[in-house]
Amino acid sequence: MLHQVLRRFGQKLVCRHKLEQPVAEDDPSRNLRTLDLVALGVGRTVGVGVYVLAGEVISNQAGPSIVICFLVAGLSTVLAGLCYAEISARIPHSGSAYLYTYVTIGEFWAFVTGWNLILSCVGGVASVVRAWILAFASLIGIQIFQKLHESIAPYVPQVFSEYLDFFVVGLVLLLIGLLTLCVDEIFPVNKVLTLVSLLVLTFVIIAGFIKGDLHNWKLTEEDYVKAGLNDTSSLGPLGSGGFVPFGFEGILRGAATCFYAFIGFSSIVTRVDKAKNPWHSIPMSIMISLFICFLMYFGVSVALTLMVPYYKLQRGSTLPEAFLNIGWAPACYVVAFGFICGFPASIFGFMVPIRQVIYRMSEDHLLFPVFARIQTGKYTRIMATVILSIIAPIMAFFFRLTDLVDLWSLTFLIAYSLVALCVLIISYQPERRTGGNEAEMREENGPAADRLTLQGLLFPGSYSPTPLSGRVVHVCSSLLVLLLTLLCLVLAHWPILLSGDPVWISVVVLLLVLITGITGVIWRQPQSPSPLPFKVLVLPLLPLLSIFMNVYLMTQVTADAWILFGIWMLIGFAIYFGYGLQGSLVANPT
């Protein structure tokens, strides 16, 4: 009896969603071209990361080597983008990583993905609001927030008076801006605002190369003394100078933070049902938007570190302030104006995904069904906006910008890793019959599972995937994720490895041997022959490399972010096991 109960419980956790027919390609509702999708991805991506976050990373994490941080973060994001491009071609439905995991690896991981995406959208809005306030303050130079703080300090607790400026301005902005947001008419405005933001960043890059000085990449202690920084107790550690003042550890930590800057392209896949020719436009728009964002971030980071010595960029410094250091005060206003123009595009980039994720999870009864109404009707849409407008400022009220950035990066690193795992698994699965289900496929091919041998594992007799080969890949992929996680945890303590400790080196060698062997087993299995407009190359290495880089960047995230993430997941697990597991329409179709 206990065995049957556990078996049914496990089956519910891994049950998979059946897809409906996608919207017809000639449907009038498909009105988004590739340019619209690129503008959506770039508009959401180019924002906080370049205007505010760059100064944070340069000042106390990486210095001029932030350009390497962006290279590492960009490479990780490109690998994730390639995985998104293929899976969007295989599953041409709106729904982002939540739907992809539900269709491929089961309900439990789909809930984890969807719950994380909700957190990422709310936290993303909160971080954008806080960053916008910093840019606004640098633009007008008003001390209104400080005066407000001084006037209310005697009447409220210190923590409330300290952050009330963020709370008040953020709440008012979101209530006014988001309540008036109209999804259907915003795309033309979004394209204009995104173009303005890109033009401003191009101006920053050109200015940086004009006013830049290569000596800022070769700073020494003598430069600190000349600048009057021989007593740096109030500024914090300045590192060892040179191009990499904070060492290799600073590059790794900075790359984990810079990953935040590339998040946003995943919003493109939430518009699959509105895209013209999605099999072509979705992969193309993902790659184009990532390429544009990488050029912008790389160029701005080079320009910024050439214009201003890294020790002059303190925590909380914004991109406009860099022009004050070189005596270009008018340019400060131009750059701050560009960020303010990018603010609505960033907010819009969060509104569509969070509504769709909550709507789909509620439709599947993983969340309470009342939330399913947020996708239909004008007033329910406004109510969803009001809810987001309240939660996001509360997060901005209690958490620092760096905490929100690390938390946001962590949630997307997990989502990107799960999508890469989905691509790895689905690429080796047999085609499902229309109207068929997994139980029928298991009954039809059940005897094959008993004929698994070592020879059949390494030399499959079929040139097309079978249920048996699909299960082999599924199990091997799960083992690889576990081994890669262990490898990343060990490599995170790389100074011990460099010391030559034989125990840790033996552990790394053993893990590499196991990973290589299991990867070879997957490589020997037949791949799906389905013709697709876009496919990931070098299977299974590219998805595995994406997972490895994402997991390693997770190990560089701060402990505070992991604590916040753990609290959020505990709340989610309480909802799932208390309601979602019993209410799921997929696990309990009756």
Side-chain angles (χ1 to χ4, degrees), residues 64-109:
S65 62
I66 187 177
V67 295
I68 302 178
C69 297
F70 276 121
L71 278 173
V72 175
L75 176 60
S76 177
T77 312
V78 166
L79 294 176
L82 292 173
C83 294
Y84 264 89
E86 172 167 336
I87 203 165
S88 66
R90 290 188 180 275
I91 308 176
H93 293 71
S94 295
S96 70
Y98 165 73
L99 180 63
Y100 301 150
T101 51
Y102 212 157
V103 171
T104 308
I105 57 180
E107 181 177 285
F108 175 75
W109 290 110

Side-chain angles (χ1 to χ4, degrees), residues 4 6 60 87 187 208 218 260 264 274 302 337 403 410 423 451 456 480 511:
Q4 293 178 350
L6 293 177
N60 63 352
I87 203 165
F187 274 102
K218 307 172 185 178
Y260 166 95
K274 301 294 184 182
V302 171
F337 175 74
D403 294 332
L410 179 59
V423 170
R451 296 196 295 267
L480 280 174
L511 289 173

Side-chain angles (χ1 to χ4, degrees), residues 279-326:
W279 291 270
H280 171 77
S281 61
I282 295 296
M284 183 65 66
S285 57
I286 289 175
M287 291 297 102
I288 293 176
S289 62
L290 281 178
F291 180 71
I292 292 174
C293 293
F294 173 76
L295 288 181
M296 291 293 105
Y297 283 126
F298 187 81
V300 169
S301 62
V302 171
L304 185 59
T305 52
L306 287 176
M307 277 194 301
V308 184
Y310 72 90
Y311 56 78
K312 289 187 178 181
L313 297 171
Q314 300 307 308
R315 303 189 71 169
S317 296
T318 59
L319 187 58
E321 294 176 30
F323 287 89
L324 295 178
N325 288 311
I326 63 173

Side-chain angles (χ1 to χ4, degrees), residues 143-480:
Q143 301 298 321
I144 183 173
F145 305 123
Q146 181 180 351
K147 294 179 181 178
L148 179 62
H149 163 68
E150 294 173 353
S151 63
I152 67 171
Y155 307 104
V156 298
Q158 181 179 1
V159 65
F160 286 93
S161 62
E162 182 76 14
Y163 295 97
L164 187 62
D165 48 353
F166 298 111
F167 178 77
V168 172
V169 177
L171 181 59
V172 171
L173 273 172
L174 288 173
L175 286 175
I176 293 176
L178 299 181
L179 287 176
T180 57
L181 191 63
C182 181
V183 174
D184 295 328
E185 285 79 22
I186 196 65
F187 274 102
V189 179
N190 181 63
K191 285 190 288 187
V192 173
L193 294 177
T194 301
L195 179 61
V196 172
S197 183
L198 292 178
L199 289 176
V200 170
L201 292 180
T202 303
F203 165 76
V204 172
I205 295 173
I206 295 174
F209 283 102
I210 292 175
K211 296 290 291 184
D213 184 359
L214 278 175
H215 182 69
N216 289 330
W217 283 7
K218 307 172 185 178
L219 298 175
T220 63
E221 292 184 6
E222 295 180 0
D223 296 296
Y224 302 151
V225 174
K226 291 179 181 179
L229 298 175
N230 52 325
D231 180 12
T232 61
S233 58
S234 61
L235 299 176
L238 296 177
S240 59
F243 185 73
V244 189
F246 300 99
F248 183 65
E249 186 176 355
I251 293 177
L252 295 178
R253 179 69 187 90
T257 305
C258 288
F259 183 83
Y260 166 95
F262 291 95
I263 295 172
F265 74 87
S266 56
S267 61
I268 294 174
V269 299
T270 63
R271 310 301 291 169
V272 171
D273 58 343
K274 301 294 184 182
K276 295 181 179 179
N277 189 17
W279 291 270
H280 171 77
S281 61
I282 295 296
M284 183 65 66
S285 57
I286 289 175
M287 291 297 102
I288 293 176
S289 62
L290 281 178
F291 180 71
I292 292 174
C293 293
F294 173 76
L295 288 181
M296 291 293 105
Y297 283 126
F298 187 81
V300 169
S301 62
V302 171
L304 185 59
T305 52
L306 287 176
M307 277 194 301
V308 184
Y310 72 90
Y311 56 78
K312 289 187 178 181
L313 297 171
Q314 300 307 308
R315 303 189 71 169
S317 296
T318 59
L319 187 58
E321 294 176 30
F323 287 89
L324 295 178
N325 288 311
I326 63 173
W328 284 18
C332 173
Y333 293 85
V334 174
V335 178
F337 175 74
F339 180 39
I340 292 175
C341 286
F343 174 76
S346 297
I347 295 297
F348 173 68
F350 294 111
M351 287 300 301
V352 175
I354 192 172
R355 282 218 310 263
Q356 289 200 349
V357 169
I358 295 178
Y359 172 69
R360 285 192 172 274
M361 294 181 71
S362 303
E363 260 200 335
D364 297 330
H365 284 214
L366 297 184
L367 293 179
F368 304 108
V370 66
F371 291 112
R373 286 197 252 167
I374 68 171
Q375 190 76 355
T376 59
K378 177 179 178 181
Y379 298 104
T380 50
R381 268 199 320 225
I382 292 178
M383 182 57 64
T385 302
V386 170
I387 294 173
L388 181 63
S389 302
I390 294 174
I391 297 177
I394 289 176
M395 293 186 68
F397 181 82
F398 285 105
F399 304 131
R400 298 175 301 172
L401 179 60
T402 51
D403 294 332
L404 295 172
V405 165
D406 285 339
L407 182 61
W408 198 23
S409 297
L410 179 59
T411 57
F412 271 98
L413 284 168
I414 293 173
Y416 291 172
S417 299
L418 288 172
V419 169
L421 178 61
C422 291
V423 170
L424 182 60
I425 291 175
I426 202 172
S427 298
Y428 292 90
Q429 300 302 311
E431 293 294 325
R432 296 192 193 182
R433 293 181 179 179
T434 304
N437 56 45
E438 294 178 42
E440 292 174 355
M441 289 179 64
R442 282 195 296 267
E443 290 177 5
E444 180 180 346
N445 301 279
D450 299 328
R451 296 196 295 267
L452 179 61
T453 62
L454 180 60
Q455 181 179 358
L457 197 64
L458 298 177
F459 301 97
S462 174
Y463 291 99
S464 59
T466 64
L468 174 59
S469 67
R471 285 193 291 274
V472 167
V473 171
H474 204 136
V475 172
C476 289
S477 300
S478 303
L479 289 175
L480 280 174

Side-chain angles (χ1 to χ4, degrees), residues 501-513:
D501 190 316
V503 175
W504 287 103
I505 293 177
S506 300
V507 171
V508 171
V509 172
L510 176 61
L511 289 173
L512 289 175
V513 170

